Structure formats: structure tokens, C-alpha cells
Amino acid sequence: MSISGKKILIAISGGIAAYKIHFLIRDFVKKGAEVQVIMTPDAEQFVTKLSISTLSKKPVYTDFYSDNGTWNSHVELALWADVMIVAPCTANTLSKMVHGMCDNLVIATYMSAKCPVFIAPAMDLDMYMHPSTRKNLEMAESFGHVVIPAESGELASGLIGQGRMAEPETISNTIDHFFNSHQEAQTLQGKVVLITAGPTYEALDPVRFIGNHSSGKMGFSLAEEASKRGAKVILISGPTAQTINDKNVELHKITSAKEMLAKVFEFYDNIDIGIASAAVADYAPKEVAKEKIKKNDENLTLELVKNPDILKTMGEKKTHQFLVGFALETQNEEENAKGKLEKKNLDMIVLNSLRDEGAGFKNDTNKIKIFTRTEKKEFDLKSKDEVAKDILNFVEAQLLK
Ligand code: CTP
């Protein structure tokens, strides 16, 4: 498999090796990849925007603002990319990356990126060997980035040693290898997956609400993973800080449980798989005050009414959909989870117990057990991205039965 169709973001920082990036861009474009280049202001001393943009066939950005007054969104650039390559990466840029010194477009984009990051350092040999560079490279690796080591040879200073940027061919091979080994099988091609995510907020008055601590991470990880497997994803989320920029994922933002229910049923008839990872508020205030509630009395009693159970309604109206629920429990976990599987007419339920450390709402990790009517499987504590893979692997296995 090739890098054809992949989106490659190249960040050039100010080193003489920048001239070699022309060859790298040409190589990627020839192989059918889309290449977007951004540069630090110093990089412009070594290469011109014109030569780079001619090869990449896209405008090159060096600043947050363009001359014509438009804003170059570092977030959009970052989320667009399948991989980001910082090459050449100078000692200065490397240091800013690992310490979060966000003073230019390259660093802001890097800090917004969720994709794998590759770093091709280039500097003079003493700088390359300096303990601070060694530490910074180690730190970059500890963030999960791939460092493509500098090579040995004659350096711009005339000195001979390690520090020159890896050849474009080496960088290109590294990226090829990455895509070859990470290409996911399109196992959900043609399927429509609906996912509910995040909390719901139930208004009390114009400024207050009843809500919960759900981060939405589990649902967004599931959406990303289902999309990677070729599914069309409808992601219906309550208020969260999560973002997603994926052409296969349609994000619908809602606030309350009632809005979530209505949105789900706009799509329900045409979905193949429904996954309810949202932490829906079970109750909502009976009345929403038109004006801000004043603190006149010592006590305030709120009357709450039951919210619709979205997943249960999905279960009741099920025709062909494969339904997955979540259960977050603190006691009698397995019994309660299996009870919900029956009560809500589900095909599968994912249990997380708050008694397990690292499981639940706010963490980046989760520890789950999956139940169907006949099976039970227990998983280790993993990142929510890995948990999303386990859940979808399980769903796919059930669909094949
Ligand atoms: N759920 C839903 N709508 C609700 C409540 C829950 O769609 N109003 C879904 C959740 O997204 C989750 C599953 O139902 O997939 C289980 O939710 P949970 O709150 O754990 O169970 P409840 O049925 O609400 O029971 P209880 O709160 O009594 O444990």
C-alpha cells in the first residue's frame, strides 16, 4: 500500500538542509500524496515560498495571518494532516516543540496536531551532541514522536560528524513504512455508524444547568476508529471540548437529552450500528426559569422529571440495527450491565466499573468488560483509542456471526 491520497504536513525550520525538502515534496507529490508546507520565519532565509508552493501545489504559510488579511488556522492545518514532518528541525524548533514555547505558526500547528509526528533534526555536530538536544530528542520520543536521526558527513560549518539531516529518501522511506504498517483494513466500509457522546446539559435557568463530568473522549475515539475502518459516522455529542476533523464523521452538537433523542431519530432508520456512549442526564428540571433564579431563600428545592431514555427508545424501535450500550457502575456491576442489555434490547453492552482505577469519565484510559447475551470478555486498562479498537473488533466479530 502506498502513501497515495494521504495528507502530509511538512514544517520547515531555519536550517541549510531546508533546500533538500524540495526533493522530499516532489517525491511525495509524485506518489500521489497531498502536501501542505508551513515554515518558520527563519526558514524563508533558506528557501522561498515560491519554489515550495510550486512543488507542493498549495500556498505556503509562515504566519498566522496572510498578506490579504486572512487567518491561517493552525488548528485546521493540524487536524487536516495524516502525518506531520518537521524537517529540517533545528535545535531551536525542537526545544520549542518539547517545551510548548508557542511563538510561531509551526509550533502552534504542531501543538494542535493529533496525527503522528516525525522529526528530522539538522544541526551542527556539537549542537546535535549537546546534552540539551539529547534530552529534547528523548522528550520528543517520549511524546510518541518518531525521530529520524541525523546522519554523519560534512556539515555546513566545514566540520565532519553527525548532524546533517537524513536524506529525503530516508525520510520518504520512513513515511512509506509508517503508512504500510498502519493501513487499517476497511472492515466497516458501507456501514453507517451512529454514536452518541459526551454529557447532556439540562437547563435550570438562562445561566445554569444540571450536567455531568463526561469528557466525550470515548465517543470521539470510537468515531475516529469507525471512520478509519471505512464507516460513515454520525456523531451526536453533548457539550465537550473534544474536536474532530474527519471527512467521514458528521458531527451534530446538541445540549439536552431531548435534543439528543430528536437528533438520533433523524438518522435511526438508516443506520447499521448504534453505539450509545453518551452520559445522558437521567433527570431534567421540570420548569426552566425564564429569568436567572435569585438567591432569596435559604433553601431551594428543584423538581426534576425523568428524561427520555434514548438508548431504550432505540432498542424499542430496533428493526435491523446492531445496538451497543455502555454501563458505568459502582456496585453489582455485571448484574446491572446484563440487566441493561435486556431492558434496553441491546446486542452488546460495555461495562466500566468506577471501582477500577483509570476507568470512567475523565480519564484518558478505560478498563472494560463486554457482554452479549451469551458471551463475556474482559480487557486490560488501555487508552480510550485502544479501547475503541477493542469495542469495534468485538462488534465486527458479532456482525459476522
Ligand atoms: N442512556 C441513554 N439515555 C438515557 C440514559 C442512558 O441513551 N436517558 C444510555 C447511555 O448512553 C448508556 C446506557 O444508556 O449507553 C446506560 O446508561 P446508564 O445511565 O448507565 O443507565 P440507566 O439506564 O440510566 O440506569 P441507572 O442510571 O439507573 O444506572
Side-chain angles (χ1 to χ4, degrees):
M1 260 168 270
S2 71
I3 66 170
S4 173
K6 293 288 184 287
K7 301 188 188 96
I8 301 178
L9 178 67
I10 300 182
I12 306 177
S13 64
I16 182 62
Y19 84 90
K20 292 187 187 173
I21 297 305
H22 295 101
F23 300 98
L24 187 64
I25 297 169
R26 207 165 73 103
D27 179 59
F28 285 149
V29 171
K30 261 176 140 176
K31 288 175 178 161
E34 261 189 84
V35 180
Q36 172 67 60
V37 179
I38 55 176
M39 310 203 287
T40 63
D42 277 349
E44 272 198 271
Q45 301 289 335
F46 297 92
V47 286
T48 69
K49 277 185 177 175
L50 182 64
S51 62
I52 298 287
S53 67
T54 306
L55 290 166
S56 66
K57 305 182 203 295
K58 282 184 193 290
V60 175
Y61 302 113
T62 50
D63 202 348
F64 293 98
Y65 311 98
S66 291
D67 293 341
N68 63 4
T70 49
W71 183 55
N72 304 320
S73 166
H74 53 95
V75 177
E76 245 172 59
L77 287 166
L79 297 181
W80 168 86
D82 293 318
V83 292
M84 178 173 188
I85 307 169
V86 187
C89 184
T90 60
N92 184 36
T93 289
L94 174 66
S95 170
K96 286 181 186 176
M97 285 167 70
V98 296
H99 293 102
M101 167 84 171
C102 190
D103 68 349
N104 65 39
L105 179 71
V106 164
I107 305 297
T109 307
Y110 157 73
M111 291 183 73
S112 312
K114 288 186 172 177
C115 62
V117 177
F118 294 78
I119 299 171
M123 55 200 85
D124 207 57
L125 81 168
D126 294 320
M127 292 172 81
Y128 193 60
M129 282 308 163
H130 194 279
S132 70
T133 304
R134 299 285 97 212
K135 265 229 153 71
N136 289 344
L137 285 171
E138 259 173 41
M139 229 171 13
E141 282 180 327
S142 77
F143 296 168
H145 305 335
V146 178
V147 174
I148 307 170
E151 294 173 3
S152 284
E154 192 179 335
L155 301 164
S157 60
L159 296 173
I160 294 173
Q162 197 180 4
R164 57 191 247 181
M165 189 181 78
E167 289 303 320
E169 198 187 340
T170 311
I171 300 175
S172 176
N173 288 343
T174 308
I175 302 298
D176 265 337
H177 177 75
F178 167 78
F179 282 123
N180 287 342
S181 54
H182 281 78
Q183 196 83 25
E184 290 212 38
Q186 298 291 287
T187 40
L188 290 174
Q189 184 87 46
K191 297 269 188 256
V192 181
V193 181
L194 181 145
I195 299 169
T196 67
T200 63
Y201 285 1
E202 312 298 334
L204 276 166
D205 69 14
V207 294
R208 303 186 182 93
F209 60 84
I210 297 175
N212 60 63
H213 288 302
S214 168
S215 66
K217 272 186 198 130
M218 194 64 248
F220 277 67
S221 291
L222 281 162
E224 222 162 80
E225 184 59 28
S227 156
K228 278 189 197 157
R229 296 176 185 211
K232 175 175 184 273
V233 182
I234 296 156
L235 176 61
I236 302 174
S237 174
T240 77
Q242 305 295 315
T243 55
I244 195 156
N245 186 359
D246 183 317
K247 62 180 183 318
N248 295 330
V249 181
E250 227 180 73
L251 174 62
H252 298 270
K253 291 190 173 173
I254 51 82
T255 305
S256 67
K258 286 202 182 81
E259 287 169 13
M260 183 174 271
L261 178 77
K263 195 49 87 181
V264 165
F265 280 94
E266 276 180 32
F267 300 98
Y268 191 61
D269 288 347
N270 297 320
I271 68 165
D272 300 291
I273 301 165
I275 307 179
S277 69
V280 183
D282 286 328
Y283 291 88
K286 189 171 181 196
E287 310 273 354
V288 182
K290 284 211 171 48
E291 305 298 336
K292 190 178 161 203
I293 300 169
K294 289 286 177 194
K295 53 175 181 305
N296 294 331
D297 303 321
E298 278 310 306
N299 298 311
L300 174 69
T301 305
L302 296 171
E303 192 176 351
L304 304 177
V305 289
K306 224 181 196 168
N307 260 333
D309 188 322
I310 300 163
L311 184 57
K312 187 157 173 272
T313 317
M314 290 162 82
E316 283 159 6
K317 303 204 166 163
K318 180 157 87 173
T319 51
H320 61 280
Q321 298 86 345
F322 185 90
L323 290 186
V324 182
F326 275 76
L328 178 64
E329 304 292 340
T330 54
Q331 56 180 349
N332 295 334
E333 291 94 338
E334 297 199 7
E335 206 182 303
N336 285 339
K338 283 190 201 151
K340 285 176 189 172
L341 181 80
E342 286 299 331
K343 194 175 91 188
K344 303 196 186 195
N345 192 22
L346 309 180
D347 299 284
M348 172 177 147
I349 192 150
V350 180
L351 164 67
N352 25 155
S353 166
L354 273 190
R355 282 201 275 189
D356 286 324
E357 206 164 307
F361 270 7
K362 283 201 217 156
N363 296 307
D364 282 330
T365 51
N366 207 353
K367 185 168 183 340
I368 59 161
K369 285 181 195 169
I370 295 181
F371 299 90
T372 64
R373 283 186 175 72
T374 52
E375 288 172 66
K376 168 184 166 179
K377 190 164 178 186
E378 198 164 342
F379 297 83
D380 294 334
L381 182 72
K382 296 183 184 182
S383 74
K384 285 187 175 167
D385 286 343
E386 291 301 315
V387 172
K389 287 182 190 168
D390 288 338
I391 292 172
L392 290 177
N393 287 343
F394 204 94
V395 171
E396 286 177 10
Q398 298 299 311
L399 291 178
L400 289 176
K401 281 185 183 160

